[in-house]
mmCIF file of all heavy atoms in Angstrom:
data_model
loop_
_atom_site.group_PDB
_atom_site.id
_atom_site.type_symbol
_atom_site.label_atom_id
_atom_site.label_comp_id
_atom_site.label_asym_id
_atom_site.label_seq_id
_atom_site.Cartn_x
_atom_site.Cartn_y
_atom_site.Cartn_z
ATOM 1 N N TYR A 40 12.593 0.521 -13.716
ATOM 2 C CA TYR A 40 13.526 0.700 -14.753
ATOM 3 C C TYR A 40 13.446 1.992 -15.472
ATOM 4 O O TYR A 40 14.401 2.749 -15.602
ATOM 5 C CB TYR A 40 13.416 -0.478 -15.762
ATOM 6 C CG TYR A 40 14.360 -0.400 -16.981
ATOM 7 C CD1 TYR A 40 15.612 -0.736 -16.854
ATOM 8 C CD2 TYR A 40 13.879 0.162 -18.183
ATOM 9 C CE1 TYR A 40 16.494 -0.553 -17.884
ATOM 10 C CE2 TYR A 40 14.655 0.329 -19.291
ATOM 11 C CZ TYR A 40 16.011 -0.146 -19.117
ATOM 12 O OH TYR A 40 16.874 0.038 -20.219
ATOM 13 N N PHE A 41 12.185 2.340 -15.890
ATOM 14 C CA PHE A 41 12.051 3.576 -16.693
ATOM 15 C C PHE A 41 12.120 4.843 -15.787
ATOM 16 O O PHE A 41 12.451 5.947 -16.296
ATOM 17 C CB PHE A 41 10.706 3.618 -17.398
ATOM 18 C CG PHE A 41 10.705 2.633 -18.560
ATOM 19 C CD1 PHE A 41 9.897 1.511 -18.494
ATOM 20 C CD2 PHE A 41 11.544 2.751 -19.625
ATOM 21 C CE1 PHE A 41 9.873 0.591 -19.463
ATOM 22 C CE2 PHE A 41 11.565 1.884 -20.680
ATOM 23 C CZ PHE A 41 10.737 0.759 -20.648
ATOM 24 N N LEU A 42 11.987 4.739 -14.491
ATOM 25 C CA LEU A 42 12.166 5.885 -13.670
ATOM 26 C C LEU A 42 13.501 5.900 -12.980
ATOM 27 O O LEU A 42 13.781 6.847 -12.092
ATOM 28 C CB LEU A 42 11.021 5.845 -12.592
ATOM 29 C CG LEU A 42 9.576 6.092 -13.081
ATOM 30 C CD1 LEU A 42 8.540 5.930 -12.058
ATOM 31 C CD2 LEU A 42 9.464 7.476 -13.832
ATOM 32 N N GLY A 43 14.321 4.943 -13.184
ATOM 33 C CA GLY A 43 15.634 4.914 -12.679
ATOM 34 C C GLY A 43 15.766 4.720 -11.200
ATOM 35 O O GLY A 43 16.666 5.155 -10.503
ATOM 36 N N ARG A 44 14.818 3.880 -10.689
ATOM 37 C CA ARG A 44 14.717 3.510 -9.264
ATOM 38 C C ARG A 44 15.023 2.083 -9.119
ATOM 39 O O ARG A 44 14.873 1.262 -10.040
ATOM 40 C CB ARG A 44 13.385 3.829 -8.657
ATOM 41 C CG ARG A 44 12.965 5.272 -8.667
ATOM 42 C CD ARG A 44 11.614 5.364 -8.152
ATOM 43 N NE ARG A 44 11.224 6.818 -8.020
ATOM 44 C CZ ARG A 44 9.998 7.200 -8.049
ATOM 45 N NH1 ARG A 44 8.987 6.312 -8.170
ATOM 46 N NH2 ARG A 44 9.690 8.480 -7.915
ATOM 47 N N ASP A 45 15.383 1.590 -7.921
ATOM 48 C CA ASP A 45 15.318 0.200 -7.724
ATOM 49 C C ASP A 45 13.923 -0.258 -7.405
ATOM 50 O O ASP A 45 13.056 0.593 -7.156
ATOM 51 C CB ASP A 45 16.373 -0.226 -6.622
ATOM 52 C CG ASP A 45 16.066 0.257 -5.257
ATOM 53 O OD1 ASP A 45 14.822 0.366 -4.859
ATOM 54 O OD2 ASP A 45 17.019 0.443 -4.473
ATOM 55 N N ALA A 46 13.678 -1.500 -7.544
ATOM 56 C CA ALA A 46 12.315 -1.992 -7.479
ATOM 57 C C ALA A 46 11.664 -1.797 -6.027
ATOM 58 O O ALA A 46 10.553 -1.478 -5.916
ATOM 59 C CB ALA A 46 12.298 -3.529 -7.772
ATOM 60 N N GLU A 47 12.601 -1.867 -5.051
ATOM 61 C CA GLU A 47 11.995 -1.605 -3.682
ATOM 62 C C GLU A 47 11.597 -0.191 -3.447
ATOM 63 O O GLU A 47 10.537 0.169 -2.881
ATOM 64 C CB GLU A 47 13.041 -1.996 -2.676
ATOM 65 C CG GLU A 47 12.521 -1.976 -1.260
ATOM 66 C CD GLU A 47 13.536 -2.505 -0.175
ATOM 67 O OE1 GLU A 47 14.183 -3.522 -0.464
ATOM 68 O OE2 GLU A 47 13.654 -1.925 0.849
ATOM 69 N N ALA A 48 12.382 0.796 -3.996
ATOM 70 C CA ALA A 48 12.091 2.186 -3.954
ATOM 71 C C ALA A 48 10.772 2.445 -4.792
ATOM 72 O O ALA A 48 9.957 3.270 -4.322
ATOM 73 C CB ALA A 48 13.162 3.019 -4.431
ATOM 74 N N GLN A 49 10.612 1.795 -5.909
ATOM 75 C CA GLN A 49 9.386 2.021 -6.672
ATOM 76 C C GLN A 49 8.219 1.400 -5.971
ATOM 77 O O GLN A 49 7.092 2.040 -6.040
ATOM 78 C CB GLN A 49 9.544 1.261 -8.047
ATOM 79 C CG GLN A 49 8.367 1.590 -8.986
ATOM 80 C CD GLN A 49 8.115 3.015 -9.228
ATOM 81 O OE1 GLN A 49 9.099 3.712 -9.521
ATOM 82 N NE2 GLN A 49 6.924 3.447 -9.071
ATOM 83 N N ALA A 50 8.361 0.290 -5.304
ATOM 84 C CA ALA A 50 7.292 -0.280 -4.488
ATOM 85 C C ALA A 50 6.840 0.727 -3.364
ATOM 86 O O ALA A 50 5.588 0.953 -3.224
ATOM 87 C CB ALA A 50 7.634 -1.647 -3.938
ATOM 88 N N ARG A 51 7.761 1.290 -2.729
ATOM 89 C CA ARG A 51 7.394 2.323 -1.698
ATOM 90 C C ARG A 51 6.737 3.504 -2.340
ATOM 91 O O ARG A 51 5.771 4.045 -1.802
ATOM 92 C CB ARG A 51 8.659 2.758 -0.918
ATOM 93 C CG ARG A 51 9.153 1.783 0.123
ATOM 94 C CD ARG A 51 10.212 2.415 1.057
ATOM 95 N NE ARG A 51 11.326 2.937 0.287
ATOM 96 C CZ ARG A 51 12.362 2.242 -0.077
ATOM 97 N NH1 ARG A 51 12.486 0.911 0.252
ATOM 98 N NH2 ARG A 51 13.387 2.773 -0.737
ATOM 99 N N ALA A 52 7.149 3.937 -3.430
ATOM 100 C CA ALA A 52 6.578 5.142 -4.116
ATOM 101 C C ALA A 52 5.164 4.739 -4.536
ATOM 102 O O ALA A 52 4.178 5.636 -4.349
ATOM 103 C CB ALA A 52 7.359 5.533 -5.377
ATOM 104 N N CYS A 53 4.908 3.596 -5.006
ATOM 105 C CA CYS A 53 3.604 3.195 -5.432
ATOM 106 C C CYS A 53 2.600 3.082 -4.161
ATOM 107 O O CYS A 53 1.439 3.458 -4.135
ATOM 108 C CB CYS A 53 3.527 1.823 -6.132
ATOM 109 S SG CYS A 53 4.214 1.963 -7.814
ATOM 110 N N LEU A 54 3.197 2.521 -3.029
ATOM 111 C CA LEU A 54 2.355 2.433 -1.850
ATOM 112 C C LEU A 54 1.954 3.741 -1.344
ATOM 113 O O LEU A 54 0.835 4.091 -0.977
ATOM 114 C CB LEU A 54 3.165 1.668 -0.800
ATOM 115 C CG LEU A 54 2.478 1.614 0.581
ATOM 116 C CD1 LEU A 54 1.106 0.964 0.481
ATOM 117 C CD2 LEU A 54 3.369 0.839 1.537
ATOM 118 N N CYS A 55 2.944 4.698 -1.344
ATOM 119 C CA CYS A 55 2.783 6.094 -0.890
ATOM 120 C C CYS A 55 1.624 6.757 -1.737
ATOM 121 O O CYS A 55 0.713 7.461 -1.186
ATOM 122 C CB CYS A 55 3.973 6.968 -0.875
ATOM 123 S SG CYS A 55 5.179 6.484 0.334
ATOM 124 N N MET A 56 1.698 6.583 -3.052
ATOM 125 C CA MET A 56 0.735 7.155 -4.007
ATOM 126 C C MET A 56 -0.700 6.583 -3.628
ATOM 127 O O MET A 56 -1.695 7.349 -3.592
ATOM 128 C CB MET A 56 1.149 6.874 -5.450
ATOM 129 C CG MET A 56 0.091 7.530 -6.377
ATOM 130 S SD MET A 56 0.638 7.229 -8.134
ATOM 131 C CE MET A 56 0.471 5.417 -8.262
ATOM 132 N N TYR A 57 -0.750 5.321 -3.469
ATOM 133 C CA TYR A 57 -1.970 4.685 -3.139
ATOM 134 C C TYR A 57 -2.562 5.210 -1.905
ATOM 135 O O TYR A 57 -3.709 5.556 -1.714
ATOM 136 C CB TYR A 57 -1.795 3.108 -3.026
ATOM 137 C CG TYR A 57 -3.099 2.483 -2.450
ATOM 138 C CD1 TYR A 57 -4.201 2.250 -3.172
ATOM 139 C CD2 TYR A 57 -3.041 2.093 -1.143
ATOM 140 C CE1 TYR A 57 -5.281 1.686 -2.585
ATOM 141 C CE2 TYR A 57 -4.162 1.444 -0.513
ATOM 142 C CZ TYR A 57 -5.232 1.314 -1.302
ATOM 143 O OH TYR A 57 -6.390 0.713 -0.741
ATOM 144 N N LEU A 58 -1.705 5.325 -0.836
ATOM 145 C CA LEU A 58 -2.152 5.757 0.444
ATOM 146 C C LEU A 58 -2.715 7.139 0.405
ATOM 147 O O LEU A 58 -3.726 7.585 1.038
ATOM 148 C CB LEU A 58 -1.070 5.657 1.523
ATOM 149 C CG LEU A 58 -0.679 4.298 1.916
ATOM 150 C CD1 LEU A 58 0.485 4.286 2.780
ATOM 151 C CD2 LEU A 58 -1.847 3.600 2.636
ATOM 152 N N ARG A 59 -1.978 8.094 -0.345
ATOM 153 C CA ARG A 59 -2.417 9.500 -0.533
ATOM 154 C C ARG A 59 -3.835 9.571 -1.185
ATOM 155 O O ARG A 59 -4.729 10.254 -0.825
ATOM 156 C CB ARG A 59 -1.435 10.316 -1.343
ATOM 157 C CG ARG A 59 -0.225 10.756 -0.545
ATOM 158 C CD ARG A 59 0.549 11.744 -1.346
ATOM 159 N NE ARG A 59 1.049 11.229 -2.581
ATOM 160 C CZ ARG A 59 2.246 10.613 -2.713
ATOM 161 N NH1 ARG A 59 2.993 10.394 -1.702
ATOM 162 N NH2 ARG A 59 2.588 10.105 -3.887
ATOM 163 N N GLN A 60 -3.936 8.694 -2.283
ATOM 164 C CA GLN A 60 -5.153 8.726 -3.065
ATOM 165 C C GLN A 60 -6.302 8.166 -2.301
ATOM 166 O O GLN A 60 -7.523 8.556 -2.390
ATOM 167 C CB GLN A 60 -4.966 8.069 -4.416
ATOM 168 C CG GLN A 60 -4.137 8.795 -5.344
ATOM 169 C CD GLN A 60 -3.818 8.024 -6.546
ATOM 170 O OE1 GLN A 60 -4.217 6.866 -6.723
ATOM 171 N NE2 GLN A 60 -3.303 8.698 -7.560
ATOM 172 N N ALA A 61 -6.105 7.140 -1.427
ATOM 173 C CA ALA A 61 -7.159 6.382 -0.733
ATOM 174 C C ALA A 61 -7.325 6.907 0.640
ATOM 175 O O ALA A 61 -8.134 6.247 1.482
ATOM 176 C CB ALA A 61 -6.853 4.923 -0.771
ATOM 177 N N GLU A 62 -6.680 7.969 1.051
ATOM 178 C CA GLU A 62 -6.721 8.395 2.443
ATOM 179 C C GLU A 62 -8.119 8.556 3.081
ATOM 180 O O GLU A 62 -8.338 8.108 4.147
ATOM 181 C CB GLU A 62 -5.910 9.698 2.605
ATOM 182 C CG GLU A 62 -5.668 10.129 3.975
ATOM 183 C CD GLU A 62 -6.618 11.130 4.624
ATOM 184 O OE1 GLU A 62 -7.393 11.704 3.735
ATOM 185 O OE2 GLU A 62 -6.713 11.337 5.786
ATOM 186 N N PRO A 63 -9.017 9.233 2.323
ATOM 187 C CA PRO A 63 -10.367 9.299 2.891
ATOM 188 C C PRO A 63 -11.005 7.942 3.229
ATOM 189 O O PRO A 63 -11.685 7.722 4.251
ATOM 190 C CB PRO A 63 -11.192 10.064 1.805
ATOM 191 C CG PRO A 63 -10.137 10.832 1.031
ATOM 192 C CD PRO A 63 -8.961 9.943 1.083
ATOM 193 N N ARG A 64 -10.934 7.096 2.246
ATOM 194 C CA ARG A 64 -11.486 5.674 2.416
ATOM 195 C C ARG A 64 -10.845 4.980 3.584
ATOM 196 O O ARG A 64 -11.431 4.313 4.388
ATOM 197 C CB ARG A 64 -11.504 4.896 1.157
ATOM 198 C CG ARG A 64 -12.103 3.595 1.235
ATOM 199 C CD ARG A 64 -11.923 2.800 0.014
ATOM 200 N NE ARG A 64 -10.698 2.596 -0.457
ATOM 201 C CZ ARG A 64 -9.798 1.696 0.022
ATOM 202 N NH1 ARG A 64 -10.059 1.031 0.909
ATOM 203 N NH2 ARG A 64 -8.568 1.709 -0.572
ATOM 204 N N ILE A 65 -9.477 5.059 3.583
ATOM 205 C CA ILE A 65 -8.747 4.333 4.661
ATOM 206 C C ILE A 65 -9.098 4.889 6.005
ATOM 207 O O ILE A 65 -9.281 4.146 7.004
ATOM 208 C CB ILE A 65 -7.284 4.420 4.369
ATOM 209 C CG1 ILE A 65 -6.890 3.650 3.107
ATOM 210 C CG2 ILE A 65 -6.444 3.990 5.605
ATOM 211 C CD1 ILE A 65 -5.427 3.902 2.681
ATOM 212 N N MET A 66 -9.146 6.248 6.130
ATOM 213 C CA MET A 66 -9.504 6.807 7.464
ATOM 214 C C MET A 66 -10.859 6.468 7.914
ATOM 215 O O MET A 66 -11.173 6.290 9.078
ATOM 216 C CB MET A 66 -9.323 8.291 7.402
ATOM 217 C CG MET A 66 -7.805 8.678 7.359
ATOM 218 S SD MET A 66 -6.841 7.827 8.604
ATOM 219 C CE MET A 66 -7.471 8.495 10.114
ATOM 220 N N ALA A 67 -11.826 6.360 6.857
ATOM 221 C CA ALA A 67 -13.204 5.989 7.261
ATOM 222 C C ALA A 67 -13.168 4.538 7.815
ATOM 223 O O ALA A 67 -13.826 4.231 8.796
ATOM 224 C CB ALA A 67 -14.139 6.033 6.006
#
Side-chain angles (χ1 to χ4, degrees):
Y40 175 80
F41 289 115
L42 294 172
R44 298 177 175 153
D45 66 34
E47 189 174 319
Q49 184 60 47
R51 280 192 304 274
C53 287
L54 175 60
C55 290
M56 181 178 65
Y57 168 77
L58 291 173
R59 280 192 300 274
Q60 291 176 349
E62 190 264 345
R64 183 182 54 79
I65 292 169
M66 289 310 297

